[in-house]
Amino acid sequence: HLSGKNMLNVILDDAEIIGCDLENAEMCFSACNNTRFETCIMKKITAEECDFKNATFDNCNLERAGFMHSDFTNAKFLSTKMCYAELSNSCLENMQSKNTDLSQTNMNNVSYDEDEWLYDDENLEMEMGEVSVTVQYNEEKLSTIKICMEQGESEGAVMQM
């Protein structure tokens, strides 16, 4: 019973996870490559920026699961409920689904080419730069902080505190 547990950065490559309750668990930045999830309850799981390459989800409940920016290259979803799941900015190259409910699933900005997806991610990091910003509140200088922002037009940017 792992419901609601913090499992950040866990490595579950080549594992078989059967009948496990992972509802509301946090698995961000984890690796589950070649992993088989069978009859697992994974409702509302947060597993962002994870690797699920060649993973299989068989008869699982992934309703309202958060998988933003994850890699599902060659993953299989069989008889799985994924309604209202969040897959935006993920890689879905050769992903297969059979008898899977994908209704209302957010797939904004997904890629169907892993090389392109990885290249776009690498270039995004290269476009970011470090900028010093002076923070003022009611005309009084409080501090100077460093933030990362995309290079380019930034005049008039506002940060609310």
Side-chain angles (χ1 to χ4, degrees):
H1 179 74
L2 298 171
S3 179
K5 300 295 183 196
N6 178 341
M7 302 187 320
L8 301 176
N9 296 306
V10 68
I11 298 174
L12 297 172
D13 289 347
D14 302 306
E16 285 192 4
I17 302 171
I18 301 171
C20 190
D21 182 357
L22 292 164
E23 186 171 353
N24 289 310
E26 293 188 31
M27 284 181 58
C28 297
F29 314 108
S30 296
C32 301
N33 298 304
N34 302 304
T35 299
R36 180 174 182 80
F37 297 90
E38 187 176 328
T39 62
C40 293
I41 299 169
M42 301 170 77
K43 289 170 57 175
K44 299 179 185 174
I45 190 170
T46 303
E48 298 174 352
E49 297 194 39
C50 291
D51 289 328
F52 292 100
K53 293 168 72 168
N54 301 303
T56 300
F57 297 85
D58 189 358
N59 197 30
C60 294
N61 187 338
L62 303 174
E63 186 176 351
R64 299 188 187 279
F67 293 114
M68 285 179 41
H69 206 269
S70 292
D71 191 348
F72 289 97
T73 300
N74 297 315
K76 294 178 186 166
F77 295 89
L78 311 171
S79 301
T80 293
K81 188 174 184 179
M82 291 185 70
C83 52
Y84 296 98
E86 176 66 62
L87 294 174
S88 61
N89 300 310
S90 292
C91 181
L92 308 181
E93 182 176 346
N94 296 323
M95 184 185 94
Q96 300 173 35
S97 64
K98 183 177 179 183
N99 298 323
T100 295
D101 182 0
L102 293 165
S103 60
Q104 303 297 319
T105 296
N106 184 353
M107 291 195 246
N108 289 334
N109 298 315
V110 298
S111 176
Y112 297 96
D113 181 321
E114 185 183 25
D115 290 335
E116 180 182 284
W117 181 72
L118 291 170
Y119 176 80
D120 288 346
D121 187 45
E122 191 175 283
N123 279 343
L124 178 64
E125 289 178 18
M126 290 171 55
E127 288 177 9
M128 302 298 278
E130 195 173 271
V131 179
S132 293
V133 178
T134 301
V135 178
Q136 292 184 337
Y137 181 73
N138 290 341
E139 307 299 323
E140 180 180 332
K141 183 177 174 182
L142 295 178
S143 63
T144 300
I145 59 172
K146 289 184 179 178
I147 61 171
C148 287
M149 59 189 305
E150 190 170 339
Q151 291 178 349
E153 187 64 41
S154 61
E155 191 170 328
V158 176
M159 183 176 85
Q160 295 180 338
M161 297 178 70

